[in-house]
Amino acid sequence: MAREPFNRGWTVKPKTSIFAQIGGAGSEGVEVDLPHDALFGEQRSAANSGKNAYFPSGTYEYSKSFEVPTEYRGKRVSVEFQGAYRDAVVFVNNAYAGQRPFGYSAFTVDLDDHLEYGTDNTIRVEVRSHDDSRWYAGAGLYRDVTLIVTDLVKIANSGPQVTTPDIDADRSIVELAVPLENHSPNRATPVVSTEIRDGQGALVASGTTPTTLRAGAATTARLRLHITDPTLWSVDTPHLYTAVTTLVDGGTEVDSRSTTFGVRRLQLDPVFGLRINGVATKLRGACIHHDNGLLGAAAIRRAEERKIELLKGAGFNAIRMSHNPASSALLDACDRLGMLVMDETFDVWTESKSSFDYSLSFPEWWERDIEAFVAKDFNHPSVIFYSIGNEIPDTGNPLGSEWGRRLSEKVRELDGTRFITNGVNGFVSTLPTLLPLMKSRSQNAEPEGGVNGAGEMMNQVNASELVTKATEESFGVLDAAGLNYGDSRYELDKELFPNRVIIGTETFPPNIDRNWKLVQEHNHVLGDFTWTGWDYLGEVGIGRNQFLDEQPQFEAPFPWLTAWCGDLDLTGFRRPASYYREIVFGLRTAPYLAVVRPEAVSREVRLGQWAWSESISSWDWAVDEETPMQVEVYSPSETVELVVNGRSVGTAQAGPENRFRATFDLPYERGVIEAFAVVGGERAESVSLRSHDGTPSLSVSTDRSTLDADGGDLAYVDIELRDTNGVLVTSEPRRVTVQVEGARLEALGSGKPDNTERFDEQTHATFDGRLQAIIRPTGPGPITVSVRADDAEAVTLQLAAR
């Protein structure tokens, strides 16, 4: 089998009907490399919806010309799309070849009937985005595309499935199920052989079996192999094995596949919780959306890998892919880096949440999309949970629970090696009953406590007898009950349902200390997944705090771009909440300093339920001396001390009993502030911040200087304003221009949540002293990145693509 990247040489343009083209409408296509998000290049407008980050709707046409040599005659030729958002329709040589309504499923289109041999052929893919999502979904061929060419006797495109059903300290049994197809007119008896190699390339097991297929038939060859002294896959030691499977027919090798897998054992019960390889494991989880910040929805391999690197570096050991199937590139990264995964199917079943969402296709397509979902995940050791949905309204009634049972049983039929959950919000599940009660209240009445009060109300509803009864059947079809904003059920369900295990599938970020205490105290509670680990596009401003002198509103006005509720911002920079969470998890002992923005000190703030304080780690402010300031110190120690310019301004209580946080009110005074952990009456670990001194200069660094030129690699260039002492200058923004030679400037932008600037231009303003450029190679060779700003000496980086 030849599997070739099919990402280069595409053009994209807005779709124009053939009738409009008669009148001269339409435009020439723009050359692009995949993965690509066509919608992200459009102009945002206040006339559009904030849930979609104020981007418009769009319909786009991707096209590509490719040569089909004469030797392809007598072969099987197909194209695999790992994701096309959405309602994709594929044409080959202007004839319909296939379609897929769901924007997150991998699907394959057979080309054989359409091909013209010995000449160029064309493939065209139409995609569209409308009011079909509750967040920014993008539009386009935003995941990898692969051309597949095989002989008539072949391993099926889905490839071998590997399981390790029997593991102990001395050995592991590895079972391979190899799907075979015979598209020839004759019977065939190919020989299937597999070699398993460890992470260092050493051969550890092998096996062979002949398999007879009648003409036009399909079957499965099975091999049962034995590994001595296996190295188990875990978060801390993500060891991977590779199974190389070859197919020999008539003495000639006709196909081969390389399959990466891990050996690991999963156990789940309410007494020991989740055990991986016999070790009890609590999930320090992050919910994440599928976009890649400055790249929009494009799932470029390096962007997916970097996302997991940074989330793991911030203390997370698990992600929940919300609310759609993860890309293969992201799962590959989780396998290599050691990140546990809860992969999720759908945000809707039969009840719509947007006017044109997947609910219109779900009854007809759900089974095929579940099959694609499981096939994609099957060999990834990082995937330990399948989630069949998120906040599905159907889960609150018996017939809706039947849908949950059908989905769960279909997953079990395809893969019985992992656990099944569902992110159930009891409030959403019982909305048909609750809505009349809610409507009886004044339309303008605000719950006590503002949006925080609304969150508490949701939690109370989740613990009600109404929710207990309405969701019992839906929870009964699962291996673990996923609770969205339902921590009030953690202790309650231990009594009501002693066999139930629980995951906090979605929780409010400010409550992590309280929630994590519950996770630690109760074995039947497996972990906590915060909303969210990484800031994302759309659902604008749900993580912001609002001022009391403003009219409260759930959605932030234009030009807001992001939700602003991530521990990491849009560029991957860690916000104060991330360090607080690290302290709560017990992974950081040093204190952390965060300073509330002065404008948030001078006005009363309505705290948001997904929001952190309006703070950054800086003592560099463009305000007058004596301006009232508020300093937060996060620390696991019971007492902390704050020192300003060598002068102690007092001590305060922190630690678990004070929610790991101490607050100091003081006037602004340029210089140095330092926070000490006080242990046994003595100063211990400390952290400091200082004001900048002198004119800032450009500090430019990259995460890699040598890149692969295969189209999937990126260099992330961080641009910062720093003084001669290395202090980050947050008080003096600059407009920065970046020019690239030998590659493409894929994006330039910041983590600013209400950004008015585009990410596809060469000049952009810093935000809190930072900016990020993303460089994408267009081929092998040297790359020069030049960075300049007013009142600063230009900086040049030399990179190379190989």
Side-chain angles (χ1 to χ4, degrees):
M1 174 186 289
R3 296 178 63 90
E4 300 176 358
F6 208 53
N7 288 334
R8 287 195 159 141
W10 291 83
T11 62
V12 63
K13 63 182 180 180
K15 168 66 179 175
T16 307
S17 77
I18 56 174
F19 300 107
Q21 291 177 39
I22 295 174
S27 62
E28 294 296 320
V30 176
E31 293 185 7
V32 295
D33 291 338
L34 308 182
H36 178 261
D37 178 3
L39 188 63
F40 205 52
E42 299 287 2
Q43 188 67 42
R44 298 196 303 137
S45 166
N48 302 319
S49 170
K51 68 180 182 179
N52 295 324
Y54 295 107
F55 280 92
S57 299
T59 304
Y60 303 94
E61 178 181 291
Y62 287 81
S63 60
K64 175 182 171 73
S65 175
F66 64 106
E67 183 184 0
V68 178
T70 54
E71 54 263 34
Y72 280 10
R73 194 185 300 275
K75 303 279 188 181
R76 299 286 291 175
V77 183
S78 58
V79 173
E80 179 189 64
F81 298 89
Q82 291 192 13
Y85 198 91
R86 77 177 283 269
D87 285 315
V89 185
V90 182
F91 299 86
V92 178
N93 294 328
N94 294 316
Y96 170 85
Q99 70 182 106
R100 197 72 173 211
F102 193 43
Y104 301 102
S105 281
F107 64 101
T108 300
V109 176
D110 293 328
L111 306 186
D112 301 311
D113 292 340
H114 302 268
L115 295 179
E116 298 177 6
Y117 300 95
T119 187
D120 284 346
N121 290 240
T122 61
I123 183 168
R124 173 166 52 92
V125 186
E126 295 178 4
V127 293
R128 62 215 80 229
S129 179
H130 195 28
D131 182 17
D132 55 22
S133 177
R134 295 187 300 111
W135 54 88
Y136 177 82
L141 300 181
Y142 71 104
R143 292 180 178 173
D144 287 319
V145 180
T146 304
L147 178 69
I148 304 171
V149 182
T150 70
D151 283 279
L152 298 182
V153 178
K154 55 177 284 191
I155 299 171
N157 288 351
S158 58
Q161 291 187 331
V162 184
T163 56
T164 55
D166 187 359
I167 305 168
D168 59 32
D170 300 320
R171 91 289 184 268
S172 171
I173 298 300
V174 179
E175 293 183 353
L176 284 93
V178 184
L180 303 178
E181 296 173 359
N182 180 9
H183 296 276
S184 77
N186 305 307
R187 185 185 73 193
T189 304
V191 176
V192 179
S193 300
T194 293
E195 291 186 345
I196 297 178
R197 297 184 180 275
D198 65 16
Q200 289 71 47
L203 180 66
V204 296
S206 62
T208 299
T209 181
T211 306
T212 298
L213 296 94
R214 294 178 182 269
T219 192
T220 300
R222 296 189 180 273
L223 293 164
R224 183 178 170 88
L225 307 180
H226 169 267
I227 296 177
T228 302
D229 192 23
T231 302
L232 303 187
W233 187 97
S234 71
V235 169
D236 296 324
T237 57
H239 185 270
L240 296 174
Y241 290 90
T242 301
V244 178
T245 302
T246 57
L247 190 67
V248 175
D249 184 30
T252 301
E253 182 178 313
V254 294
D255 208 348
S256 68
R257 292 294 292 272
S258 179
T259 308
T260 302
F261 69 97
V263 178
R264 53 111 176 91
R265 182 172 66 253
L266 301 177
Q267 296 169 278
L268 185 66
D269 63 72
V271 177
F272 298 99
L274 171 68
R275 286 180 286 175
I276 301 176
N277 303 326
V279 179
T281 304
K282 294 291 188 179
L283 301 175
R284 305 189 301 270
C287 295
I288 59 172
H289 267 313
H290 75 288
D291 75 68
N292 275 309
L294 308 186
L295 300 170
I300 301 171
R301 184 185 70 240
R302 173 57 188 158
E304 301 283 71
E305 178 184 62
R306 176 178 177 268
K307 184 187 300 182
I308 299 307
E309 286 176 353
L310 295 181
L311 286 168
K312 187 166 184 179
F316 294 108
N317 67 3
I319 60 165
R320 174 190 178 212
M321 193 62 212
S322 40
H323 306 292
N324 46 261
S327 73
S328 294
L330 185 130
L331 296 182
D332 287 341
C334 291
D335 291 345
R336 291 193 306 270
L337 298 171
M339 179 69 81
L340 302 171
V341 178
M342 178 188 295
D343 206 3
E344 197 152 82
T345 52
F346 313 119
D347 188 50
V348 293
W349 294 349
T350 64
E351 183 78 31
S352 68
K353 296 179 182 178
S354 302
S355 299
F356 300 97
D357 62 21
Y358 178 68
S359 65
L360 300 173
S361 303
F362 174 84
E364 179 182 356
W365 282 87
W366 72 269
E367 195 163 10
R368 280 169 284 188
D369 287 325
I370 287 288
E371 289 169 352
F373 171 72
V374 173
K376 170 182 64 68
D377 288 14
F378 194 96
N379 293 320
H380 290 282
S382 56
V383 179
I384 61 172
F385 278 100
Y386 292 130
S387 170
I388 59 172
N390 168 71
E391 296 189 345
I392 304 293
D394 313 53
T395 54
N397 66 72
L399 293 180
S401 299
E402 181 189 37
W403 273 112
R405 180 172 287 105
R406 292 170 70 182
L407 280 138
S408 296
E409 291 308 309
K410 182 63 179 180
V411 171
R412 291 186 177 103
E413 171 191 322
L414 298 168
D415 183 1
T417 69
R418 293 172 171 90
F419 306 120
I420 299 173
T421 188
N422 188 358
V424 175
N425 185 329
F427 176 80
V428 175
S429 301
T430 54
L431 265 178
T433 302
L434 294 173
L435 276 175
L437 301 175
M438 297 169 67
K439 288 180 179 179
S440 67
R441 300 179 179 180
S442 168
Q443 294 295 317
N444 297 320
E446 185 181 342
E448 184 178 350
V451 286
N452 261 343
E456 287 303 315
M457 179 268 290
M458 185 185 298
N459 208 6
Q460 291 171 15
V461 170
N462 265 314
S464 68
E465 186 177 2
L466 169 67
V467 169
T468 299
K469 292 181 177 179
T471 60
E472 185 174 4
E473 186 174 357
S474 285
F475 282 135
V477 307
L478 308 171
D479 300 312
L483 293 180
N484 284 16
Y485 311 110
D487 50 276
S488 57
R489 295 206 67 92
Y490 291 2
E491 295 188 66
L492 177 67
D493 281 2
K494 187 176 183 179
E495 302 299 324
L496 293 178
F497 305 100
N499 293 312
R500 180 178 289 180
V501 292
I502 289 172
I503 311 172
T505 39
E506 207 164 299
T507 62
F508 295 125
N511 296 342
I512 180 57
D513 60 319
R514 296 170 178 171
N515 289 343
W516 193 246
K517 187 172 185 289
L518 289 172
V519 170
Q520 291 178 306
E521 290 175 345
H522 298 288
N523 290 341
H524 73 291
V525 181
L526 309 182
D528 179 280
F529 286 80
T530 188
W531 192 264
T532 55
W534 196 292
D535 198 18
Y536 61 96
L537 301 164
E539 289 192 309
V540 293
I542 69 166
R544 77 198 190 283
N545 292 305
Q546 299 182 57
F547 295 114
L548 287 175
D549 55 11
E550 297 175 334
Q551 182 66 29
Q553 52 183 323
F554 179 75
E555 192 173 88
F558 184 83
W560 271 76
L561 175 70
T562 79
W564 199 233
C565 58
D567 277 24
L568 282 67
D569 75 10
L570 206 64
T571 67
F573 178 73
R574 292 178 65 181
R575 300 172 63 203
S578 174
Y579 294 93
Y580 178 88
R581 186 181 308 277
E582 194 175 21
I583 288 170
V584 171
F585 284 157
L587 302 176
R588 177 186 173 99
T589 58
Y592 183 82
L593 267 171
V595 180
V596 178
R597 298 178 189 272
E599 61 270 23
V601 175
S602 59
R603 299 167 67 185
E604 283 195 85
V605 170
R606 177 187 290 107
L607 297 175
Q609 57 201 22
W610 289 282
W612 200 251
S613 63
E614 294 297 320
S615 61
I616 64 172
S617 184
S618 175
W619 193 241
D620 187 56
W621 300 96
V623 297
D624 295 333
E625 298 273 330
E626 302 298 317
T627 297
M629 302 292 291
Q630 190 172 86
V631 174
E632 299 175 341
V633 181
Y634 314 145
S635 177
S637 64
E638 293 183 1
T639 305
V640 295
E641 181 182 11
L642 188 67
V643 175
V644 178
N645 291 327
R647 183 182 70 256
S648 176
V649 296
T651 61
Q653 298 301 300
E657 296 304 315
N658 291 278
R659 306 196 66 186
F660 300 94
R661 185 192 319 225
T663 302
F664 296 85
D665 294 304
L666 68 161
Y668 185 58
E669 178 182 332
R670 290 185 64 82
V672 181
I673 63 171
E674 191 168 14
F676 290 89
V678 179
V679 179
E682 300 291 333
R683 290 179 177 178
E685 293 180 278
S686 68
V687 63
S688 65
L689 298 172
R690 96 175 36 234
S691 311
H692 86 269
D693 183 17
T695 302
S697 59
L698 290 170
S699 173
V700 182
S701 62
T702 180
D703 66 336
R704 54 187 53 207
S705 57
T706 302
L707 297 87
D708 292 330
D710 60 359
D713 208 354
L714 301 166
Y716 282 80
V717 177
D718 289 325
I719 304 164
E720 298 177 328
L721 301 174
R722 293 190 179 270
D723 70 7
T724 55
N725 296 314
V727 174
L728 183 69
V729 181
T730 59
S731 60
E732 297 184 13
R734 295 282 195 281
R735 292 194 63 74
V736 176
T737 298
V738 177
Q739 292 180 308
V740 179
E741 296 178 6
R744 182 166 56 245
L745 177 60
E746 195 75 4
L748 176 67
S750 73
K752 193 173 191 290
D754 55 350
N755 206 338
T756 59
E757 298 183 84
R758 297 174 64 92
F759 298 151
D760 58 359
E761 297 179 347
Q762 289 186 317
T763 301
H764 203 103
T766 60
F767 172 64
D768 290 339
R770 292 183 172 86
L771 196 61
Q772 186 176 84
I774 305 176
I775 313 301
R776 190 176 191 182
T778 53
I783 300 169
T784 301
V785 181
S786 301
V787 184
R788 67 178 191 273
D790 290 341
D791 302 322
E793 184 177 346
V795 176
T796 299
L797 286 183
Q798 296 296 335
L799 313 177
R802 59 190 177 191

